[in-house]
Amino acid sequence: MNIIVILFFSEFTVLNKIDFMKSEMPALVPFALPEVSEAAAKGSLREVYADIRQVMRLPMVNLIYRHLATQQATLERVWNALRPHFASGAVDTAAAQLRSEVESIVKAMEVAPRGSRSSPPSFEPAILEVVEAYLLGNSQNLVALSALLLARGAPASADGNGNSAYATLPYPQPQPQPQPLRPLPDFRDLDDVTRARIHRLNRVADEPEPAVVASLYRHLALWPQSLAAAEDLLEELEQRNTLRNARDATVAAARELLMQQPLQLSALGDEFNRSFGRTLGHFATVTIPKMLPIGTALLLSWRTPPAIP
């Protein structure tokens, strides 16, 4: 049965129901989405994490997999189901096309180059590498994991694990492993000013009370000047309402693209849907469609040298 991929999500941290709109300095720290960090992974889970990084060609394991790892058997079932579609190149092909579509959408927004409104920060390569890594992982996971959501109406696989295609697709040749990113900071270790800025950024192109906070912002907190530059850029785009429009256009573009390139997946079962379906469904409605154009806008702006007066 062919499954058309039309849903989206990425890696995020679930927020407590706190009205951050009322305070520039939230005193409470949001609860983190339960996860097993890469540093904490041991034994067979550590091996699964290493395989995810290798096959996806990423320098980190995205939060969704770390969250699924709180029930390791569930992570293994999900990865067994998805890995063949990464290995065949189907996910990469669709994800690359989607990134191209999103870039066209963002370029039409006339994103200003860095330094157009304030002094340009020093963008060391590591900052751009973080944004690039999230864009790659987000687009891949958008395609692959949204298929799991849509597959809820499909028949379950013969072995109940959703991995009927696992043995029939080739695996990629080993590739050089990207250098790991600097560790993702714990939200509780960030100062009030940084946390407040992250919450302001997270409201851009989102609902009035966002239910999740994008991990990209948390990672960029390692370089406070990058968060300040992001806020400067996104504030202007938000005032023009272009990011919300880009979010919606991303949904439409992905739907059209992935109707033409469906993935074939079997359902993972009612238990999976009860445990993770609602969370993934929430990610699919707003957060990834907003973060793909936001990440693309940051790269387009930060890679462009400021104009010479």
Side-chain angles (χ1 to χ4, degrees):
M1 178 178 181
N2 287 338
I3 303 302
I4 298 173
V5 183
I6 61 174
L7 299 176
F8 312 91
F9 71 94
S10 177
E11 64 168 37
F12 298 92
T13 302
V14 170
L15 289 179
N16 214 5
K17 292 295 184 179
I18 302 171
D19 187 1
F20 291 108
M21 298 291 287
K22 298 179 180 177
S23 174
E24 292 297 301
M25 297 290 185
L28 299 178
V29 176
F31 294 133
L33 186 68
E35 65 170 275
V36 180
S37 70
E38 293 182 67
K42 306 295 181 184
S44 60
L45 179 58
R46 184 172 183 145
E47 295 175 0
V48 174
Y49 278 4
D51 192 53
I52 290 172
R53 288 192 300 267
Q54 180 69 40
V55 173
M56 294 183 67
R57 296 176 290 107
L58 290 175
M60 75 287 188
V61 175
N62 293 122
L63 176 59
I64 184 58
Y65 302 113
R66 304 195 312 267
H67 174 52
L68 293 173
T70 59
Q71 299 180 19
Q72 184 174 341
T74 298
L75 172 63
E76 292 175 356
R77 288 180 59 201
V78 169
W79 184 236
N80 281 346
L82 295 180
R83 192 184 194 278
H85 300 284
F86 283 100
S88 71
V91 171
D92 277 345
T93 297
Q97 290 180 267
L98 183 60
R99 291 195 301 274
S100 178
E101 291 277 353
V102 172
E103 183 170 338
S104 296
I105 292 169
V106 173
K107 283 182 176 179
M109 294 161 45
E110 299 182 352
V111 176
R114 62 184 169 94
S116 60
R117 297 185 62 201
S118 61
S119 298
S122 176
F123 285 113
E124 58 184 273
I127 296 175
L128 300 181
E129 289 170 2
V130 166
V131 182
E132 289 169 346
Y134 276 87
L135 273 178
L136 176 59
N138 285 347
S139 62
Q140 290 175 322
N141 289 327
L142 180 155
V143 172
L145 296 177
S146 60
L148 291 178
L149 295 174
L150 197 58
R152 286 180 293 187
S157 62
D159 62 2
N161 291 331
N163 59 359
S164 57
Y166 190 86
T168 65
L169 296 175
Y171 291 160
Q173 295 297 319
Q175 300 181 21
Q177 182 68 33
Q179 290 296 314
L181 301 177
R182 288 177 59 183
L184 188 69
D186 191 311
F187 208 96
R188 295 163 179 80
D189 294 335
L190 302 176
D191 60 67
D192 286 343
V193 172
T194 300
R195 290 202 302 267
R197 174 163 278 148
I198 288 174
H199 292 312
R200 291 195 300 271
L201 283 165
N202 198 55
R203 289 195 294 265
V204 173
D206 209 309
E207 303 303 326
E209 288 190 38
V212 297
V213 60
S215 289
L216 173 60
Y217 297 138
R218 185 172 144 208
H219 225 137
L220 289 177
L222 294 168
W223 302 272
Q225 79 275 17
S226 71
L227 281 181
E231 187 171 26
D232 188 44
L233 173 66
L234 299 185
E235 179 184 8
E236 177 185 348
L237 296 176
E238 179 77 343
Q239 288 174 352
R240 291 193 264 141
N241 204 35
T242 52
L243 283 173
R244 192 171 295 269
N245 293 338
R247 181 195 73 186
D248 296 340
T250 298
V251 174
R255 181 181 297 115
E256 181 178 354
L257 170 66
L258 296 170
M259 284 180 65
Q260 301 172 12
Q261 301 179 39
L263 295 184
Q264 185 175 6
L265 286 172
S266 300
L268 291 177
D270 291 340
E271 183 178 351
F272 175 83
N273 294 333
R274 284 192 297 269
S275 298
F276 298 101
R278 184 174 181 179
T279 300
L280 302 189
H282 182 81
F283 290 160
T285 58
V286 174
T287 40
I288 265 296
K290 81 171 185 180
M291 288 311 296
L292 279 173
I294 283 175
T296 302
L298 294 179
L299 277 184
L300 288 176
S301 176
W302 294 353
R303 283 173 171 166
T304 304
I308 299 176

